[in-house]
Amino acid sequence: MAGVHRAHIDVIINRAKPLEVLFSERRKGRRWFSAKDIAVLRIAHELGRAGRLWNTAIAQAFTHLEHPPPRDAILIIPVMSVSHTTGRVLTGLPDPVQDTAKRISYRKHDVTYEALSSDAKNAHGRTDVCAFWDEGHAETKDDLLEAIETGLNKSANTLLLSASTAGIGRTGPFWTKYEHAKKVTDGRVLDETFLPVLFEAPADVDFRDEEWLFATNPGLAHGYPNLKKLRRYIERCEHSPAERESFKRLHLSVYLDGAANPEWDLAIWDEGHGEIDLDGLAGRKAWLAVDLSKRIDLSAVVATIELDDERYAVHCMGFGSARAGCSVDRCACQSQGSRHRFRQDCEVRQGHRA
């Protein structure tokens, strides 16, 4: 009931029996309140918090709300007043704040807070003094951030703020900012205009360690996020590598190098690193997977070879579009009248074509 607990409404009414005319009638043992009743109770509640007796507070609220006030009305009542007629209602005042779906304007100082769309074309030509870039890890293109920073460069003493969880992969505008922040933090780059504040755990962190959980989530000490639910989340991660990687990224701020939802634990994958003697594995059972290109892309063949002790060796080879019999570092490909050149890091084996 707008600040007054409904369990106490009847107590309030019974304590002020002469004022029962303020409230709506009873229906089958229950009391019904109108919008006017709720408004009176709410205003009286605030007046009571200011030190007035409940009867005085009810009388003052009822007197000034006897008729529905205008939408822009402001009720002013002196603090030490005891008469129910004391106070006045002001109307017709200009609203200093304009609130729309995407914009909040404070006309007194000509300040506007605006939410921008992801369309970078609409961000060019602006002259902002402050911008807040939220969850930049989700951005895949540089054009919007480029337009915002261009606008900030037009004036002195501008500010770009950014807050985000960790991302996936080493691409995108947020990775560029994160990489610069790491360099500033460890002293490789001196940039007095850039202030990095990083709450992140190391890549090999034990996701069950609550010390790291509190270190990367400063709000936990104040109840946000909910620790009980995070502990349940950690229990699920014990049996799900995909959820484990998601937890490390979203709650421990570990920037992931691989897939967002890996099918196995990437730490176990790294433990299997080593040289493979393909000639020594001849004759063993193997599975092949092929990714074929059409014209200008690379092709790949992956062999998964069965080893002893339920282990497997994985060998991948890449091929570029070139004439059979060529071994080159750079391939030139013809596609729809355009020449595309790309660096090929793997050897083009004789007799194989994409």
Side-chain angles (χ1 to χ4, degrees):
M1 295 296 292
V4 180
H5 196 281
R6 61 183 182 182
H8 302 308
I9 294 296
D10 277 336
V11 176
I12 293 173
I13 295 171
N14 293 330
R15 194 174 62 186
K17 290 182 179 179
L19 305 177
E20 282 193 354
V21 294
L22 297 176
F23 305 95
S24 300
E25 77 276 10
R26 288 183 177 273
R27 298 179 186 175
K28 296 182 180 180
R30 302 184 66 180
R31 188 174 295 281
W32 293 74
F33 296 90
S34 66
K36 175 183 176 181
D37 300 328
I38 296 173
V40 169
L41 286 173
R42 180 59 196 173
I43 297 298
H45 175 70
E46 294 298 328
L47 295 175
R49 291 178 58 191
R52 290 173 178 77
L53 296 176
W54 180 248
N55 289 1
T56 302
I58 283 285
Q60 290 179 339
F62 180 74
T63 299
H64 294 290
L65 294 175
E66 186 174 2
H67 302 288
R71 185 173 179 271
D72 61 344
I74 298 177
L75 176 60
I76 299 177
I77 299 178
V79 175
M80 302 303 294
S81 63
V82 294
S83 172
H84 68 281
T85 59
T86 303
R88 55 179 177 159
V89 177
L90 300 181
T91 61
L93 298 177
D95 187 1
V97 178
Q98 180 188 24
D99 186 6
T100 65
K102 295 184 178 181
R103 182 186 296 109
I104 300 176
S105 299
Y106 187 56
R107 296 172 178 171
K108 183 177 180 180
H109 296 296
D110 193 22
V111 176
T112 300
Y113 175 85
E114 184 177 2
L116 297 180
S117 69
S118 59
D119 188 0
K121 294 183 296 183
N122 298 328
H124 284 282
R126 302 174 60 90
T127 308
D128 299 315
V129 295
C130 181
F132 181 72
W133 187 30
D134 189 30
E135 298 299 349
H137 75 278
E139 287 286 338
T140 58
K141 299 187 295 183
D142 300 337
D143 51 358
L144 179 59
L145 181 62
E146 183 182 66
I148 293 174
E149 290 187 310
T150 300
L152 293 173
N153 290 337
K154 297 176 183 178
S155 305
N157 300 321
T158 57
L159 186 63
L160 172 63
L161 302 172
S162 175
S164 176
T165 54
I168 304 172
R170 302 188 177 188
T171 59
F174 184 72
W175 167 258
T176 304
K177 294 294 184 184
Y178 170 76
E179 192 175 31
H180 185 69
K182 295 286 288 184
K183 292 178 180 178
V184 173
T185 301
D186 58 26
R188 285 178 289 167
V189 172
L190 179 61
D191 187 350
E192 297 181 351
T193 67
F194 195 96
L195 176 62
V197 181
L198 303 176
F199 298 96
E200 63 174 346
D204 59 350
V205 64
D206 181 0
F207 68 95
R208 296 172 290 260
D209 189 347
E210 288 196 2
E211 183 177 350
W212 276 112
L213 187 63
F214 277 87
T216 54
N217 295 270
L220 267 180
H222 307 284
Y224 180 85
N226 187 277
L227 181 58
K228 185 176 180 180
K229 290 188 176 180
L230 286 181
R231 285 171 174 164
R232 285 203 296 262
Y233 194 176
I234 293 174
E235 292 176 0
R236 295 201 310 269
C237 294
E238 291 278 0
H239 311 287
S240 173
E243 286 194 290
R244 190 180 312 157
E245 293 300 298
S246 178
F247 177 82
K248 289 170 66 175
R249 182 175 70 88
L250 298 177
H251 294 286
L252 297 178
S253 297
V254 176
Y255 219 106
L256 301 182
D257 290 330
N261 299 307
E263 297 300 327
W264 52 75
D265 191 342
L266 295 181
I268 297 177
W269 171 271
D270 292 337
E271 290 176 3
H273 177 71
E275 297 294 331
I276 300 175
D277 182 8
L278 292 178
D279 295 333
L281 298 177
R284 288 182 177 267
K285 187 177 181 180
W287 293 263
L288 292 179
V290 182
D291 181 11
L292 296 178
S293 60
K294 188 173 182 181
R295 288 184 178 149
I296 64 172
D297 199 1
L298 293 175
S299 293
V301 178
V302 178
T304 302
I305 308 168
E306 189 175 39
L307 303 178
D308 299 327
D309 302 328
E310 297 184 347
R311 295 183 302 122
Y312 300 87
V314 179
H315 181 67
C316 175
M317 296 180 62
F319 304 91
S321 300
R323 293 180 180 179
C326 295
S327 179
V328 295
D329 293 329
R330 183 181 295 271
C331 297
C333 305
Q334 188 75 26
S335 174
Q336 297 179 358
S338 300
R339 296 193 63 82
H340 299 269
R341 296 186 177 273
F342 60 94
R343 175 71 62 183
Q344 181 177 339
D345 296 324
C346 59
E347 180 184 2
V348 178
R349 300 294 181 103
Q350 183 174 357
H352 296 276
R353 295 186 62 186

